[in-house]
Amino acid sequence: MTTHDVIVVGAGVTGLTAAWRLAQAGQDVLVLEARDRIGGRLRTEAHGAPGAEADFEIGGQWVSPDQDALLGILDELELPTYPRFREGESLYVDKTGVAHRFGEELPVGESTSAAIAQLTKTLDGLAAAMDPARPWELDDADHLDSVSFRAWLEQQCDDPVAVDNVALYIGPAMLTKPAHSFSALQAVQMAASAGSFSNLVDADVILDRRVVGGLQRVPLALASRLGDRVRLGQDVTLVEWDEDGAVVHVGNEIHAARRLVLAVPPTLVTRIRFSPELPAEHRIAREHQSFGLVIKVQAQYATPFWRADGLSGTGFAPWQLVHEVYDNTPEGEPRGMLVGFVSDERADAVGRLSESERRDRVLESLAAYFGDAALEPLTYVESDWQHQELTGGAYGTSFDLGGLTRWGAVLREPLGPIEFGSSDVAGHGFQHVDGAVRVGDEIAHRILADAT
Ligand code: FDA
C-alpha cells in the first residue's frame, strides 16, 4: 500500500489542475487515471495519408476571451493561441435547404429577427440575475426548472423559426440534447456560465481562439510537471472511506490518503463502488445526470476552397443533419479543414448507420452549405466519445427536468474526505475547459485551507 496526502482520480484538466496546485503547495499527491493517456475529453490525434498526416482536435478545442481561468493557465504553461479564421460571409441554410449568405444578422426576415432579439433580451436578463454556480437560487427557479426549454420558448414567442433558432443554440449546439428534454433553468444556467446568452451564441466570443498544437497540450503540460506522480492505466473500482481518509483500490493495488478527489464526470462516480455506500442523495443526484450526445465531424480538403468564394466557413442550419459548421484549418496549414456537429436525436439516427453511410450523409449535409466541393475530402474524421465507457457522450452532463433545483447543490458537496468535481459541476465555464480549471482550483484551495 502507498500512502499520500491526496489522491486524485482522473487525469483530465480538473484533476490535473487540482493535483498541480496541491503539489505546488507541497502536498504529496498521487494521480490515478484509468485510460492509457492524459487529458480525458481533450485529445489531439494525427490523421491522413501516411506522410501527410494533420492534427485533428477530437475533443475540446476553443478558448473564449471571458474564460480567464483557462487563459490564466495557458499563460502559466506558456502555451500560445491563435484566432479562429472568420473572414468573409457566413451561411444560413433555411428549412427548405437553400443556403443564404449573411454578414452580422441571420437572414431570417424582419419579424423573426425581432422575435430572436426579444428572446435574447429575456435570456440575457435571466442570465444576468443568476449565479451560475447556484442556479437554484434564481427567483422563479422552481418554475423554470419544471418546464422544458422548448415549451418555455413557445410560451414566450409565437414565431416558430425564432424558436427553432434559439432552441438550437442551447439544445443541439451546447447541452447537445433536444430542447424538449432539459429545463428552461438549465438553459439559463448554460447562458449564465458563459456570461450571457449573447456571448454563448456569438461564435466570435465562444469560439474565439485555439491553442497552437491543440488544447490537449494543457493537461499534457500539467502532467509533465507532475511527473511520476501521475499513473496511467489505473481504473479505480472501489473506495473505502471514513472521516479520517480514503483507501482506493485499483486491481490488486491499494493506495491510501487523507483526502480523495474524484475528478470524473458525475455519471462516472456511480461506476465506482463505495464502502460504506454513498448516501442515497449523492447517488441519486448523479443518476439524474446524463451526457448529451454530439458527433464532431471534421473534413480536410486540398485547400480551404470556401475562402476563395468569400466565405468564412461559418454556417448554421437548425434543420440540417450538421447544424453548425466552422473553418477549422490550423494556423499555417495550407489544406483546408471544416468542423461540423451532428447532435442529439440526429446523432442517434446516424449512429445506427454504417460508417460509410454516415460519412455520405454528413458530407451531403456539408454540401448543403458549401456545394459539391464539400463531397470530396482528403480525410474525414469523426469523434466517438459516446462509445467510450470512460466518458460516455459529449460535451458534458446536465440534468433532466427538475433535477437542477432538486439535486444541483449535492453534486458539489464534499463527503467526508472526498471531493467531487469536473467541468460538469462548474458555474462559470460549465461544460468547458475553463470550468474544469476553476473546479480544480477550488478543490485544491478547499483542501489546502483544511490542511492549515
Ligand atoms: P474529463 O472527462 O476530461 O476527465 C475525467 C478523467 O477521469 C478521464 O481522463 C477519465 O478517463 C478518468 N476516469 C474516469 N473514471 C475513472 C476511474 N474510475 N478511475 C480512474 N480514472 C477515471 N470545452 C471547451 O472549453 N472548448 C471546446 O471547444 C470544447 N469542445 C468539446 C468538444 C468535444 C467533442 C468534447 C467531448 C468536449 C468539448 N469540450 C470543450 C468540453 C471539455 O473537453 C470538457 O469540459 C473538459 O475537458 C472536461 O475535463 P474534466 O477533467 O472535468 O473531465
Side-chain angles (χ1 to χ4, degrees), residues 8-16 32-35 37-42 57-64 67 70 206-207 215 234-237 250 262-265 268-269 271-272 291 294-296 341 383 385 389-391 393-396 421-424 429-437 439:
V8 175
V9 176
V13 172
T14 302
L16 292 168
L32 299 171
E33 166 56 49
R35 285 181 162 104
R37 64 169 182 84
I38 298 293
R41 279 171 270 176
L42 297 183
E57 293 268 50
I58 303 301
Q61 62 170 71
W62 285 296
V63 182
S64 75
Q67 294 179 335
L70 174 56
I206 199 81
L207 315 180
L215 196 48
Q234 307 293 308
D235 193 356
V236 171
T237 51
V250 181
L262 291 179
V264 307
L268 296 186
V269 171
R271 198 176 151 267
I272 300 170
F291 259 100
V294 64
I295 305 173
K296 180 176 181 179
F341 297 91
S383 304
W385 295 95
E389 190 191 0
L390 289 164
T391 301
Y395 312 109
S422 68
S423 63
D424 313 272
F430 170 56
Q431 293 205 358
H432 283 81
V433 178
D434 180 67
V437 176
V439 171

Side-chain angles (χ1 to χ4, degrees), residues 82-97:
Y82 62 95
R84 177 177 63 85
F85 182 85
R86 65 191 72 172
E87 285 158 35
E89 290 184 300
S90 302
L91 290 170
Y92 176 74
V93 183
D94 69 20
K95 209 165 186 168
T96 66

Side-chain angles (χ1 to χ4, degrees), residues 120-166:
T120 300
K121 195 171 160 203
T122 307
L123 284 163
D124 277 347
L126 287 167
M130 177 189 275
D131 172 355
R134 312 187 68 74
W136 45 88
E137 289 180 355
L138 185 73
D139 282 350
D140 215 20
D142 286 341
H143 169 67
L144 288 170
D145 208 25
S146 71
V147 53
S148 83
F149 185 46
R150 175 166 285 281
W152 180 84
L153 287 171
E154 286 167 352
Q155 284 164 13
Q156 311 293 312
C157 172
D158 58 8
D159 182 324
V161 175
V163 167
D164 283 349
N165 272 283
V166 174

Side-chain angles (χ1 to χ4, degrees), residues 2 4-23 27-34 38 226 229-232 234-236 239 246 248 250 255-264 272 417-422 436 439-441 443-444 447:
T2 67
H4 309 269
D5 292 327
V6 185
I7 293 174
V8 175
V9 176
V13 172
T14 302
L16 292 168
T17 303
W20 177 233
R21 296 296 176 230
L22 291 163
Q27 297 277 299
D28 168 15
V29 184
L30 175 68
V31 181
L32 299 171
E33 166 56 49
I38 298 293
L226 285 158
R229 287 173 278 208
V230 182
R231 293 183 52 188
L232 300 179
Q234 307 293 308
D235 193 356
V236 171
V239 170
V248 305
V250 181
H255 308 279
R258 207 168 27 79
R259 300 297 301 269
L260 173 64
V261 179
L262 291 179
V264 307
I272 300 170
I418 310 175
E419 288 274 352
F420 300 90
S422 68
V439 171
D441 271 337
I443 289 175
I447 290 176

Side-chain angles (χ1 to χ4, degrees), residues 191-210:
S193 76
S196 66
F197 179 73
S198 296
N199 276 356
L200 193 71
V201 302
D202 185 345
D204 289 347
V205 174
I206 199 81
L207 315 180
D208 184 35
R209 303 185 76 79
R210 297 179 58 186

